[in-house]
Structures are given as C-alpha cells and as structure tokens.
C-alpha cells in the first residue's frame, strides 16, 4: 500500500480541529459549523484520493469533522432551549404582574397582595381644596390629584362624571353627580379609586373636591355609589343583594348596576340588580374592586337623593 497523500487530509484535520474548539461557544459555533462542513468535504475528498493508499490522516479528519458538526448541533439545541425558557419565564412574570400599583416613592420590596397594594394606595391619598373644573383632570404624583382612594364631592353643577383608566381594563368611570340639593337627586359624594395616569372628565359640573379616605376603615355590608374594595370596605364572602331604595317596577331595568374587577387575573364581571332582576347572589374575594352606580327611577315621587342609596349585602352560605 502506497504512502497516504496528506495535504488535503491535514487541512481537513486543521479545519475540523478549529471547528471543534469553537463548537461550544454560543453564536461563534455558527462559524464552527462552517469549518466542520469544509473539513468533512475535504476528508471525503482525501479518502477518495487515497482509496489505494493509507488513509489514517483522512480518517482522523473525517472523525473530527463529524464530531464538530454533532457538537455544534447539540449545543445550539441546548442554547436555543435555554433562550426559549428565559423568554417564557419573562412572559409569565409579565402576565402575572398586577395592574394596581402604588406611587414610585413606595419603599416596600416584598411581593404584595392586591389588597395590601390598595391599602398602601390609600396611605398615599392627599385631600384637595375645592377645584374649579376647567378641563380634563389627570391623576399623578406631580398633578393636582395624587393616586389614592377618595370621596369625590361635587360642590357645583350637576352632570356626568366620566374618565379612563391608564393601566386597568376595568373599574369603569361613569356616574351622575351633582351638588347637594340638585334637582335630579344625583349623588354629591362618590367613592373613587384613582391610579396613576387615570383621567377624569366632568360635564356640566363646575366645582369638585377630593377627600382622602383613611388607610384603616371599618368594613360594612352596605355600600353606596362608587368603587369599593373587598377585604377593606366589605368582608369577602357570598352575598344576596337588596337595597334600601324603592325601585319603580314600571322601569324594570332601572336600579343598581355594578361590576367586580379582579386584578389578579384582569377579569371583570358585571351584574344588575333591579325590579326585573331582584334575585341576585354574588361571591366576593379579598382585593376585588366593586364599582356601583344607581339609577333612581323613583326620585320625583320620593325626593330621596342618591346619597342615601345603599346596596345591601346579606351573607348566604
């Protein structure tokens, strides 16, 4: 057997060896793959050119080139899986984060429940003097109205209170309000949870005032009009609904409208309580936010203002 032709085989070994060295390095191993392919081609050429000669170096080149390609494919698969796992973890973390946030100056670092966050939000509330309404009101640390929990008082005018939530897809802002003694009996006091970036608009209302609700309050099973927090304003539990107001049966769809927003999953469910739907039971969990409004179909007969309206929750098993 003749002596092996070595040049092509040596080049194959060199390229394969270089590829083998780089095959473990992320991204760079793309170049290693190219070296491995070239080394494999040269090793095959060397084997054919030495088919009647010795083939030791050609076989070594073949083995190294194949080994390089295998290692590159395996490591890229491992690195790719690791990157996918990181991406999934980031998505999971993002999707589980709460929309309800306290202002940036909060010092708490531990993971908090929604109820804890809302209680902390109450601690940041800052009462205002009477405000003349001249346009849209934006909520923020550097704005006239800070994030917090408030009793909104209408002190001038009578009309619609609307707005939008920046970070929450729920907790609608849509009430009728008026100064005390207004001709329509609209509520002059409305409980409202305000988050950073929320906006408020007032139609035919000229003056308002925000009074901070204390961080510690006594829960009740009778709620008025506005936003109320389960575990803070009312205990969690299962309840049957009633009201202290007389609802005119001639207007079967007019009465209480309310929604329950759950910040843990971002879901909101709505419910009506009125003459046409008077057998209503709800289940409330800590941290959920109830939003209530009342359409008083009997005001002109009773002259009882919406400020007196209460949605009553009676415990059921």
């Amino acid at each position: 057997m003749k002596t092996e032709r070595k040049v092509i085989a040596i080049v194959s070994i060199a390229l394969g060896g270089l590829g083998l060295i780089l095959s473990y390095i992320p991204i760079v191993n793309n170049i290693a793959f190219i070296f491995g392919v070239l080394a494999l081609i040269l090793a095959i050429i060397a084997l054919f050119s030495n088919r009647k000669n010795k083939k030791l170096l050609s076989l070594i080149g073949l083995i190294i080139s194949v080994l390089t390609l295998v290692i590159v494919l395996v490591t890229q698969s491992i690195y790719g899986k690791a990157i996918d796992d990181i991406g999934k973890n980031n998505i999971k973390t993002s999707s589980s984060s709460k929309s309800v946030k306290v202002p940036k100056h909060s010092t708490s670092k531990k993971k908090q429940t929604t109820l804890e966050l809302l209680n902390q939000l109450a601690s940041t509330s800052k009462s205002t003097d009477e405000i003349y309404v001249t346009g849209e009101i934006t909520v923020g640390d550097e704005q006239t109205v800070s994030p917090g929990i408030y009793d909104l008082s209408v002190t001038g005018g009578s009309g619609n209170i609307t707005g939008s939530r920046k970070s929450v897809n729920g907790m609608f802002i849509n009430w009728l309000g008026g100064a005390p003694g207004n001709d329509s009996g609209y509520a002059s006091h409305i409980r409202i949870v305000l988050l950073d970036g929320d906006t408020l608009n007032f139609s035919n209302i000229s003056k308002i005032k925000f009074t901070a609700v204390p961080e510690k309050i006594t829960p009740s099973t009778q709620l008025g009009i506005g936003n109320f927090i389960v575990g803070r304003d009312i205990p969690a539990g299962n309840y049957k609904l009633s009201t202290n107001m007389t609802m005119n049966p001639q207007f079967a769809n007019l009465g209480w409208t309310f929604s329950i927003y759950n910040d843990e999953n971002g879901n909101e469910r709505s419910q009506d309580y009125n003459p046409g739907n008077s057998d209503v039971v709800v289940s409330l969990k800590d941290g959920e936010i109830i939003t209530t409004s009342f359409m008083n179909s009997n005001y002109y007969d009773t002259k009882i203002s919406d400020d007196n309206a209460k949605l009553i929750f009676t415990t059921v098993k």
Side-chain angles (χ1 to χ4, degrees):
M1 186 174 292
K2 297 180 181 180
T3 302
E4 182 178 4
R5 296 174 182 173
K6 301 178 181 180
V7 175
I8 298 177
I10 291 173
V11 174
S12 172
I13 293 172
L15 289 173
L18 183 58
L20 191 61
I21 294 171
L22 301 177
S23 62
Y24 297 92
I25 304 174
I27 300 176
V28 176
N29 61 9
N30 290 314
I31 298 174
F33 186 82
I34 296 173
F35 287 159
V37 170
L38 293 175
L40 179 62
I41 293 172
L42 292 174
I44 294 173
I45 293 172
L47 285 172
F48 275 100
S49 65
N50 286 296
R51 59 184 179 275
K52 295 182 180 180
N53 305 327
K54 293 180 179 180
K55 303 178 182 62
L56 179 60
L57 295 178
S58 301
L59 290 173
I60 292 174
L62 180 66
I63 294 169
I64 293 176
S65 61
V66 171
L67 187 59
T68 297
L69 295 174
V70 170
I71 292 175
V72 169
L73 293 174
V74 171
T75 53
Q76 285 189 341
S77 176
I78 294 172
Y79 298 147
K81 185 177 183 302
I83 292 172
D84 288 342
D85 289 342
I86 292 172
K88 290 177 181 178
N89 288 336
N90 287 338
I91 293 172
K92 183 177 180 181
T93 300
S94 175
S95 64
S96 64
S97 63
K98 294 179 173 62
S99 298
V100 176
K101 297 179 177 65
V102 297
K104 296 178 182 178
H105 51 70
S106 169
T107 57
S108 178
K109 294 183 179 180
K110 70 174 184 177
K111 185 177 181 180
Q112 295 174 294
T113 65
T114 301
L115 182 57
E116 289 172 334
L117 286 168
L118 288 166
N119 281 326
Q120 192 172 346
L121 180 68
S123 71
T124 69
S125 307
K126 297 177 183 178
S127 298
T128 70
D129 295 327
E130 194 172 59
I131 300 171
Y132 282 92
V133 179
T134 57
E136 183 178 81
I137 292 176
T138 300
V139 179
D141 287 338
E142 306 300 325
Q143 303 294 331
T144 302
V145 181
S146 299
I149 303 175
Y150 297 94
D151 282 327
L152 167 61
S153 300
V154 179
T155 57
S158 177
N160 291 92
I161 303 168
T162 59
S164 61
R165 303 285 187 181
K166 180 180 179 181
S167 59
V168 175
N169 293 320
M171 296 166 54
F172 64 82
I173 302 174
N174 187 10
W175 294 288
L176 293 170
N182 68 84
D183 292 339
S184 300
Y186 297 155
S188 60
H189 300 286
I190 296 171
R191 178 68 55 82
I192 187 166
V193 175
L194 293 177
L195 307 176
D196 186 54
D198 290 350
T199 58
L200 297 173
N201 292 281
F202 299 86
S203 176
N204 297 323
I205 293 174
S206 59
K207 291 184 292 184
I208 57 174
K209 182 179 180 180
F210 293 89
T211 302
V213 176
E215 184 176 0
K216 301 293 183 181
I217 60 174
T218 303
S220 172
T221 53
Q222 297 188 19
L223 304 181
I225 296 172
N227 301 134
F228 300 93
I229 300 163
V230 181
R232 174 182 164 83
D233 295 297
I234 181 174
N238 298 321
Y239 297 97
K240 183 177 176 62
L241 302 185
S242 61
T243 185
N244 66 333
M245 301 295 281
T246 301
M247 296 186 293
N248 193 332
Q250 293 182 348
F251 302 96
N253 295 324
L254 298 184
W256 288 92
T257 299
F258 66 98
S259 64
I260 304 168
Y261 171 74
N262 187 312
D263 193 61
E264 295 289 343
N265 54 32
N267 292 334
E268 185 175 47
R269 55 194 190 276
S270 299
Q271 182 69 63
D272 292 332
Y273 175 74
N274 52 45
N277 187 36
S278 59
D279 188 11
V280 180
V281 176
V282 295
S283 179
L284 305 178
K285 298 178 181 179
D286 281 338
E288 291 185 323
I289 301 175
I290 304 169
T291 301
T292 65
S293 63
F294 181 64
M295 184 62 71
N296 191 348
S297 60
N298 235 23
Y299 172 70
Y300 294 106
D301 292 329
T302 64
K303 296 301 180 181
I304 298 175
S305 166
D306 291 357
D307 280 327
N308 297 300
K310 297 294 181 183
L311 186 60
I312 301 170
F313 295 75
T314 303
T315 304
V316 295
K317 294 182 179 179

